[in-house]
Amino acid sequence: MEILLVLRLCCNCTYALLYKPIDRVTRSTLVLHDLLKHTPKDHPDFPLLQDALRISQNFLSSINEEIDPRRTAVTTPKGEARQLVKDGFLVEVSEGTRKLRHVFLFTDLLLCAKMKKTAVGRHQQYECKWYIPLADLTFQTLDDSDTCPHVQTLPEHEIEEMKIKISVIKNEIQKEKAVKGQSRAVDRLRKKMNEQESCLLLHSPTIPFRIHNKHGKSYLFLLSSDYERSEWRESIQKLQKKDLQACVLSSVELQVLTSSCFKLRTVHNIPVTSNKDDEESPGLYGFLHVIVHSAKGFKESANLYCTLEVDSFGYFVSKAKTRVFRDTTEPQWNEEFEIELEGSQCLRILCYEKCYDKSKLNKDDNEIVDKIMGKGQVQLDPQTVQSKNWHMDVIEMNGIKVEFSMKFTSRDLSLKRTPSKKQSGVFGVKINVVTKRERSKVPYIVRQCIEEVEKRGIDEVGIYRISGVATDIQALKAAFDTNTKDILVMLSDMDINAIAGTLKLYFRELPEPLLTDRLYPAFMEGIALSDPAAKENCMMHLLRSLPDPNLTTFLTLLEHLKRVAEKEPINKMSLHNLATVFGPTLLRPSETESSKSNITLASDIWSHDVMAQVQVLLYYLQHPPISFSELKRNTLYFSTDV
């Protein structure tokens, strides 16, 4: 009994000690209330008393976590609630350098903060970089943006290399966990992956989002998606419709507001997979087939089109674009696209009105600025989309309804090389059979597609990367397979991305890769050689070892891709981009060969083999021109047994 009494006394004393500071602040708050009541507003102490009261109130509300687990507002000088409306991580360009910021949109101001570096065990804190009252915030017009700051950008191949490293580390983590579970090695790998993903997130966004303080400075953010830019703009404009008064925060007020951001925030971690729980979905790897059917709800006739975006490595990427349906309120696209997914969890559809007015030229990217009519997104639920049947859905956006269908195909099924049963066609038929039948050195389909792309697609942004309409590609495939007389007319009328897609499909459906199953192991070993002279001898010898139709077709494609890359400033397709698109298509072994490699992980989209396939093609693309006759004349012997 005595022990219980002592314990109870100790508990009461501890509670009293812990409660004392809170009790003191509570009593001080009541005193401050009384003082403010009896202090004239023009008295010099009045603002100081207001600051002290607000600090006290915010402290007490932060203590009361059990009643209100997540605070959503702080008190303003007028005693009103300053509500947090939206927050997120954005890339700011500051003095020509990219900086990752946490941006907070409140009911009356926009605050840009960065996380302070703190010692281990200390609470994280934000540091305010700047803020703009919404009453003073404007969006820069194109005429205002004459002085565009130089933005630090990484070459495309470095961005792709980061993706490769992330995928490799991800696979290593999965393998390590399968053997040892959660270990120090896994923690080390997670840290490495976080560094790579954070770097990718910092350097991948390119879409400018400018805001301006009409009494001061302009600020530039870079976003990965037009969708995201539109969301921020709409949220700010909605708040600006209210009767807002410009506010100036004292240093104490700013400190209190910035401190409160830690508890107010809704986005706690930068959007990278290394920050996700193991139980969370890793996303889908493979191909998403999407048919954009139609749209309704437009009040006036317009020139309308849609773009499709999916998330990839923590940011969104534009993957496909419908044709422009002119002067209509009910566009009927009915266009199918095949979109490659890299751990994707979300599909976005944006509907635009095409602008043909050249006076609205965007000085940033020299492209006409089109108006977003609506936007929406759907989660890619694996159970829904992985069925064999099409899943139809509707996205509602600002009164507009876009109807679409989708289905998912796993990567291993999509990339299966299946020989054609009809040897009279060209798709799925051995290349030597086609060239012999045509009495040509290079298949007709390859020559015609290359010619058309060079004629009118070499300046197209994302040529060979942007998906063509699947129904157009299938129509071209059927025409080439049946040797239709109207092929040239079809090619001249067809969207250029469909023609590029047809060429890729031809190589993808060859019964064996263009660079052959037999030589595949030697290509993998040759590209791994560290001695430049040995690598040169090996890689040239392997080309000489190819059958003549394969070699001639490969060299023809090689020179074409080099010409495409020469226009990189316009089409944004570098040698590395093209190697990424075509490498696996030209080298991936047929099913019997690939089954030997025993690839099991979904994220092996960037497996060691795939990386090597990209590097093989890149090696030849970066090589000085290779002549068929010189290759055959040069009889330097180098064994393929490297």
Side-chain angles (χ1 to χ4, degrees):
M1 192 72 181
E2 288 179 6
I3 294 169
L4 284 171
L5 189 62
V6 170
L7 283 171
R8 190 174 291 170
L9 284 168
C10 287
C11 288
N12 287 342
C13 289
T14 307
Y15 180 78
L17 285 169
L18 289 171
Y19 187 75
K20 260 187 177 178
I22 301 165
D23 186 43
R24 193 176 296 132
V25 173
T26 305
R27 280 188 278 111
S28 299
T29 305
L30 295 170
V31 171
L32 287 164
H33 265 296
D34 288 340
L35 283 169
L36 275 167
K37 275 183 190 176
H38 300 96
T39 305
K41 287 187 178 180
D42 56 354
H43 193 280
D45 289 342
F46 189 83
L48 295 172
L49 289 168
Q50 276 189 318
D51 284 344
L53 177 61
R54 194 158 48 261
I55 292 167
S56 300
Q57 287 173 330
N58 285 328
F59 171 76
L60 290 171
S61 61
S62 69
I63 293 299
N64 197 11
E65 289 290 316
E66 288 180 2
I67 297 169
D68 182 12
R70 195 189 80 73
R71 296 167 64 207
T72 58
V74 287
T75 313
T76 67
K78 294 179 180 178
E80 298 165 353
R82 176 175 281 133
Q83 200 83 21
L84 178 67
V85 176
K86 180 179 174 64
D87 70 298
F89 289 94
L90 301 182
V91 174
E92 184 189 11
V93 178
S94 176
E95 298 174 353
T97 306
R98 292 169 180 251
K99 306 282 187 185
L100 193 64
R101 305 294 195 212
H102 200 150
V103 180
F104 295 85
L105 174 62
F106 290 94
T107 37
D108 61 340
L109 59 86
L110 185 77
L111 186 145
C112 178
K114 79 163 192 175
M115 190 69 79
K116 276 184 179 179
K117 287 184 180 178
T118 53
V120 179
R122 295 281 302 275
H123 282 299
Q124 287 182 310
Q125 289 180 314
Y126 282 107
E127 175 191 333
C128 177
K129 300 305 294 180
W130 51 264
Y131 75 92
I132 304 177
L134 295 189
D136 296 335
L137 189 151
T138 60
F139 298 104
Q140 281 186 298
T141 63
L142 296 177
D143 296 334
D144 295 332
S145 59
D146 288 334
T147 53
C148 179
H150 173 72
V151 180
Q152 179 189 42
T153 54
L154 278 184
E156 190 69 34
H157 72 271
E158 289 190 31
I159 297 283
E160 293 299 326
E161 281 166 11
M162 274 189 233
K163 290 183 184 179
I164 292 168
K165 285 177 186 173
I166 291 164
S167 294
V168 169
I169 296 169
K170 203 177 286 184
N171 286 347
E172 286 177 10
I173 289 171
Q174 287 175 323
K175 288 170 185 172
E176 190 75 28
K177 282 171 70 179
V179 178
K180 299 176 185 174
Q182 201 72 26
S183 64
R184 285 186 181 179
V186 170
D187 292 338
R188 277 199 305 272
L189 287 167
R190 278 190 190 280
K191 190 177 178 183
K192 273 173 68 178
M193 190 166 82
N194 186 280
E195 288 169 4
Q196 288 293 328
E197 286 190 306
S198 300
C199 191
L200 180 64
L201 200 68
L202 190 66
H203 288 95
S204 55
T206 56
I207 295 174
F209 175 52
R210 286 194 177 80
I211 52 173
H212 182 67
N213 185 340
K214 60 187 180 187
H215 298 304
K217 198 177 164 185
S218 298
Y219 302 93
L220 171 64
F221 292 108
L222 295 176
L223 310 179
S224 65
S225 162
D226 218 3
Y227 191 104
E228 197 180 358
R229 176 167 62 179
S230 177
E231 273 192 325
W232 279 98
R233 188 188 291 265
E234 285 171 12
S235 297
I236 291 168
Q237 287 173 335
K238 189 176 178 181
L239 292 169
Q240 287 180 324
K241 287 178 182 176
K242 298 171 184 174
D243 184 25
L244 293 171
Q245 299 295 319
C247 57
V248 179
L249 302 185
S250 69
S251 57
V252 177
E253 288 169 0
L254 187 58
Q255 190 176 349
V256 170
L257 182 60
T258 308
S259 299
S260 70
C261 286
F262 187 77
K263 284 198 172 72
L264 293 171
R265 61 188 178 163
T266 61
V267 182
H268 293 80
N269 296 306
I270 60 171
V272 295
T273 52
S274 49
N275 282 335
K276 288 182 180 176
D277 295 332
D278 292 339
E279 290 74 30
E280 287 188 59
S281 167
L284 294 170
Y285 289 86
F287 293 88
L288 185 70
H289 301 263
V290 181
I291 301 174
V292 182
H293 296 291
S294 59
K296 292 179 181 177
F298 297 98
K299 293 174 183 174
E300 296 177 1
S301 290
N303 304 314
L304 304 164
Y305 69 93
C306 286
T307 62
L308 307 179
E309 295 180 353
V310 291
D311 54 310
S312 169
F313 292 90
Y315 61 97
F316 278 81
V317 184
S318 183
K319 288 283 189 175
K321 177 181 173 182
T322 68
R323 70 184 186 277
V324 178
F325 217 99
R326 292 190 174 234
D327 196 24
T328 182
T329 56
E330 293 191 8
Q332 299 280 334
W333 293 288
N334 293 312
E335 293 180 5
E336 182 185 336
F337 301 94
E338 183 183 78
I339 296 171
E340 191 169 5
L341 303 182
E342 301 169 300
S344 307
Q345 294 179 312
C346 191
L347 168 71
R348 287 175 171 176
I349 299 182
L350 294 92
C351 192
Y352 289 85
E353 178 183 358
K354 183 73 181 171
C355 175
Y356 292 104
D357 183 356
K358 293 202 173 179
S359 66
K360 293 183 179 178
L361 202 67
N362 187 335
K363 293 182 173 67
D364 293 320
D365 50 21
N366 208 33
E367 287 184 0
I368 303 238
V369 180
D370 296 338
K371 181 183 175 184
I372 294 181
M373 303 297 286
K375 64 188 190 311
Q377 62 183 15
V378 288
Q379 290 299 119
L380 297 176
D381 177 19
Q383 291 183 334
T384 305
V385 297
Q386 283 184 307
S387 65
K388 291 180 181 178
N389 301 322
W390 286 93
H391 170 69
M392 187 173 273
D393 208 340
V394 174
I395 282 185
E396 294 199 32
M397 39 175 88
N398 299 349
I400 300 161
K401 292 182 179 180
V402 175
E403 191 178 79
F404 68 100
S405 298
M406 60 182 174
K407 70 176 180 179
F408 173 77
T409 312
S410 64
R411 191 171 172 78
D412 55 338
L413 287 174
S414 295
L415 297 181
K416 200 179 278 185
R417 292 187 186 273
T418 310
S420 174
K421 292 175 183 176
K422 292 181 181 178
Q423 291 298 296
S424 58
V426 294
F427 282 83
V429 179
K430 287 184 177 179
I431 196 166
N432 63 321
V433 173
V434 173
T435 51
K436 189 175 180 180
R437 188 204 310 141
E438 293 178 352
R439 296 179 183 176
S440 61
K441 292 181 179 179
V442 176
Y444 178 69
I445 182 174
V446 175
R447 287 181 280 125
Q448 288 307 129
C449 288
I450 284 176
E451 187 180 317
E452 201 63 36
V453 168
E454 293 194 2
K455 190 190 295 181
R456 59 189 179 91
I458 208 158
D459 290 341
E460 187 79 12
V461 175
I463 188 70
Y464 289 120
R465 181 175 54 79
I466 297 292
S467 172
V469 178
T471 43
D472 290 348
I473 294 170
Q474 290 304 316
L476 281 171
K477 177 183 176 179
F480 277 111
D481 266 342
T482 54
N483 198 21
T484 306
K485 292 177 183 177
D486 299 330
I487 286 175
L488 293 179
V489 176
M490 282 182 72
L491 284 171
S492 61
D493 290 342
M494 201 66 79
D495 175 69
I496 201 64
N497 287 318
I499 294 167
T502 304
L503 183 62
K504 287 190 293 179
L505 185 67
Y506 169 72
F507 287 118
R508 201 164 91 195
E509 291 196 356
L510 283 173
E512 77 161 349
L514 186 66
L515 300 189
T516 73
D517 283 331
R518 181 178 65 86
L519 294 175
Y520 181 74
F523 276 112
M524 295 298 96
E525 291 175 22
I527 199 65
L529 292 171
S530 54
D531 179 71
K535 184 184 278 192
E536 166 79 7
N537 284 337
C538 178
M539 299 301 276
M540 290 304 112
H541 174 73
L542 288 169
L543 284 190
R544 282 194 296 276
S545 305
L546 286 169
D548 283 2
N550 297 58
L551 176 57
T552 311
T553 302
F554 179 68
L555 294 179
T556 301
L557 179 66
L558 207 61
E559 292 311 306
H560 165 63
L561 295 179
K562 287 181 181 181
R563 287 191 288 273
V564 171
E566 284 172 5
K567 297 280 189 172
E568 184 192 350
I570 301 167
N571 61 34
K572 313 298 182 192
M573 293 300 288
S574 64
L575 289 175
H576 197 284
N577 268 345
L578 293 163
T580 303
V581 170
F582 277 94
T585 302
L586 301 179
L587 281 125
R588 177 181 41 79
S590 54
E591 190 184 359
T592 51
E593 288 296 314
S594 59
S595 60
K596 294 174 188 174
S597 62
N598 193 29
I599 293 173
T600 55
L601 296 173
S603 53
D604 273 342
I605 185 171
W606 282 117
S607 68
H608 177 75
D609 272 9
V610 174
M611 290 158 53
Q613 291 159 15
V614 171
Q615 290 302 315
V616 168
L617 181 55
L618 187 61
Y619 179 85
Y620 291 121
L621 284 170
Q622 292 174 335
H623 197 279
I626 303 165
S627 159
F628 178 88
S629 54
E630 280 182 28
L631 262 180
K632 290 295 181 181
R633 225 178 13 248
N634 186 350
T635 55
L636 176 65
Y637 176 78
F638 192 93
S639 170
T640 55
D641 300 325
V642 288

